[in-house]
Amino acid sequence: MLRKKIFLFIVAISTLSLLLHQGIHSSCCPSLQSHPAPGLKPKHTNVAFLKTHKTASSTMQNLLFRFAERNNLTVALPVQSCAHQFCYPQTFSSHFVHPHTLPPNVITSHMRFNKAELQRLMPNNTIYITILREPSAMFESSFTYFYHHCQSFKRVRDGSLETFFADPWRYYQPKEKDSMYARNTLAFDLGLDKDRPAEDEEYVRASLAEVEKVFSLVMIAEYFDESLVLLRHLLSWDLDDVLYFKLNMRKASSKRSLTPGLAAKIRSWNSLDAHLYDHFNASLWRQISALGLACVAREVHVLRQAREKLMRSCFDGTVPLLRSASQIKNNNLRPWQPSGKVDIMGYDLPANLSRRYSSQAQELCFKLIMPEVQYTQVLLRSQSIRYRRGHPLRPPQQSHPLPLSIRKTSPRHPQ
């Protein structure tokens, strides 16, 4: 019975999703009644997620990776020379996609957005989504995370946000390779001009309109669960498709609170990001209101209950403690560390998990907490195997000796 507990839980969650889809809660979710009975509206499986920086996007990426694996979909992954990102900060090109991951259904690794290239790569019915975070909180996170990778931050000898914002142009060089981490990172990821003057209101309006035109859903990190409810409805997914564990979180001691004055300076410096966030935060709540506040609140409650139950199933009946990388025994579960200045936390599964659950249940728990770099490598290996099976190498043709006269006159191929 213990070995089957996690599967019984997943069955229960799937059953609950089915009830939600069929309109059991139709009094508060009228849109769910549109799914025809007895069948359900097919899940939408072609998704492009623009993975922005320091916005809970790694958690969202993990969710999409697992959805793709469960549904035997192809995930576009970077060529090895690009590591685990699509050669960021270069503007995205289809040349950055590994040939063994074509044609894709899902794309979700870091890139600088390029609509034309993505539309050539992805199916015509692809739904585009992304995620934003409040700019002052995001910048505080980026300043710590990228301190040793961004020259604009490294010039601040005392490592202080107050020092940087006392005179940001003293430290910020817009043409440097990694300058996008130091100003309007969200705008840059979206393919916009991070250094456009804040006074250019026409550019701001045009940028907001373009993002709204391309992206069917702009999630908000501060309302992650509410965003997932909207995503679930948009894509006709089940509840178990949007279950997740939080990933890529900093150690609490590395986080700092911001005074109202400092937060205002950060928003002013990142004015384009602030415009994007304010606009799409308001847009998110309009969508939530259209679906029904009570409906969304109920689904958020169900989602959180289901996530906690799944977490306790994976972690021996308890809520897991976050661990620093040095405390995690399994190398495949250690998150990448940007520097010694900040600890990125992760999880380690209980040692007795293999004795209690089947291999499939273990894999579910394992994939839920697998960091981005390792999961990307796992997916690339599995998709390369599938690609080679579908594209077997041709057997070498049998060679026949050439007549001596031809052999003497045939040019040699260059080495």
Side-chain angles (χ1 to χ4, degrees):
M1 292 296 293
L2 284 174
R3 293 173 64 86
K4 295 182 179 179
K5 182 172 67 173
I6 197 167
F7 285 118
L8 292 175
F9 169 68
I10 294 298
V11 169
I13 294 301
S14 299
T15 302
L16 180 54
S17 294
L18 184 65
L19 294 176
L20 285 169
H21 263 303
Q22 290 180 326
I24 294 298
H25 300 301
S26 59
S27 60
C28 71
C29 297
S31 64
L32 292 179
Q33 298 181 69
S34 63
H35 296 130
L40 299 177
K41 184 178 178 181
K43 295 181 183 182
H44 195 92
T45 54
N46 295 324
V47 179
F49 174 65
L50 178 63
K51 187 178 188 293
T52 50
H53 285 82
K54 311 313 298 172
T55 58
S57 62
S58 292
T59 299
M60 186 63 198
Q61 181 191 53
N62 179 278
L63 184 155
L64 289 168
F65 278 171
R66 288 182 286 108
F67 178 84
E69 283 197 292
R70 283 196 307 276
N71 292 278
N72 198 32
L73 305 176
T74 299
V75 181
L77 297 171
V79 293
Q80 290 174 318
S81 59
C82 289
H84 63 285
Q85 305 179 354
F86 287 110
C87 288
Y88 186 87
Q90 296 182 57
T91 300
F92 176 77
S93 166
S94 57
H95 297 297
F96 300 158
V97 181
H98 198 290
H100 291 181
T101 65
L102 296 172
N105 305 102
V106 175
I107 189 166
T108 178
S109 298
H110 276 305
M111 69 172 75
R112 189 177 187 206
F113 189 70
N114 182 337
K115 182 177 75 171
E117 280 289 287
L118 279 167
Q119 288 180 337
R120 278 194 288 269
L121 174 72
M122 300 298 292
N124 291 335
N125 68 340
T126 297
I127 288 180
Y128 291 80
I129 57 177
T130 189
I131 186 168
L132 306 179
R133 182 182 178 187
E134 196 284 313
S136 61
M138 177 186 161
F139 195 92
E140 184 276 326
S141 178
S142 295
F143 188 83
T144 303
Y145 192 88
F146 295 116
Y147 182 80
H148 290 285
H149 301 274
C150 175
Q151 290 298 319
S152 298
F153 294 158
K154 288 177 71 174
R155 292 188 183 96
V156 184
R157 296 296 179 85
D158 65 357
S160 164
L161 274 170
E162 286 83 358
T163 300
F164 179 86
F165 281 104
D167 187 6
W169 285 107
R170 176 183 176 185
Y171 307 102
Y172 176 69
Q173 298 293 329
K175 300 300 182 183
E176 286 178 339
K177 178 184 175 182
D178 295 321
S179 64
M180 67 282 174
Y181 297 131
R183 195 178 194 200
N184 287 316
T185 309
L186 294 173
F188 183 87
D189 288 352
L190 284 160
L192 304 175
D193 181 357
K194 64 182 173 61
D195 295 303
R196 185 62 65 106
E199 299 78 20
D200 193 342
E201 295 181 0
E202 180 56 35
Y203 183 77
V204 172
R205 283 194 295 269
S207 298
L208 294 174
E210 178 64 17
V211 174
E212 194 150 25
K213 177 182 176 182
V214 172
F215 291 89
S216 298
L217 175 63
V218 177
M219 303 171 65
I220 297 296
E222 287 79 7
Y223 305 105
F224 192 76
D225 290 343
E226 290 84 355
S227 296
L228 285 180
V229 170
L230 293 180
L231 178 77
R232 192 185 79 76
H233 285 259
L234 175 67
L235 302 178
S236 297
W237 286 7
D238 298 325
L239 178 65
D240 48 310
D241 293 324
V242 295
L243 292 175
Y244 68 92
F245 294 168
K246 293 181 180 179
L247 299 177
N248 209 40
M249 293 182 292
R250 284 183 295 158
K251 192 174 184 179
S253 60
S254 71
K255 301 177 183 179
R256 56 160 299 173
S257 58
L258 302 174
T259 64
L262 183 55
K265 287 182 179 180
I266 294 175
R267 285 180 63 91
S268 177
W269 175 250
N270 297 278
S271 60
L272 187 49
D273 279 4
H275 281 296
L276 286 163
Y277 178 83
D278 292 344
H279 178 88
F280 286 103
N281 183 36
S283 174
L284 180 90
W285 283 99
R286 285 194 297 271
Q287 293 176 70
I288 290 172
S289 296
L291 186 58
L293 293 174
C295 164
V296 174
R298 180 176 296 190
E299 284 206 33
V300 166
H301 178 69
V302 171
L303 171 63
R304 290 172 178 171
Q305 281 188 319
R307 185 177 68 238
E308 183 175 351
K309 289 179 181 178
L310 179 57
M311 187 173 286
R312 290 182 182 277
S313 296
C314 287
F315 289 94
D316 211 14
T318 63
V319 175
L321 295 175
L322 287 169
R323 300 177 182 273
S324 63
S326 61
Q327 296 174 314
I328 298 174
K329 298 176 183 178
N330 191 326
N331 289 337
N332 289 322
L333 296 178
R334 290 178 183 169
W336 180 76
Q337 303 297 306
S339 70
K341 182 179 173 68
V342 57
D343 274 337
I344 302 302
M345 311 297 282
Y347 306 91
D348 220 351
L349 289 173
N352 65 346
L353 189 70
S354 60
R355 296 194 298 270
R356 296 174 56 219
Y357 295 133
S358 70
S359 59
Q360 288 177 293
Q362 293 174 53
E363 183 179 10
L364 169 63
C365 295
F366 195 78
K367 293 289 181 63
L368 276 160
I369 61 174
M370 182 175 282
E372 171 184 0
V373 175
Q374 292 93 321
Y375 208 154
T376 299
Q377 294 168 348
V378 167
L379 274 180
L380 181 57
R381 283 196 295 269
S382 65
Q383 292 187 172
S384 291
I385 291 171
R386 186 171 67 186
Y387 176 87
R388 292 188 182 103
R389 287 173 179 167
H391 300 79
L393 294 174
R394 293 182 179 179
Q397 294 182 350
Q398 185 176 359
S399 59
H400 299 281
L402 294 173
L404 183 61
S405 60
I406 298 179
R407 290 207 305 268
K408 286 182 178 179
T409 58
S410 296
R412 296 185 64 188
H413 292 290
Q415 299 297 313

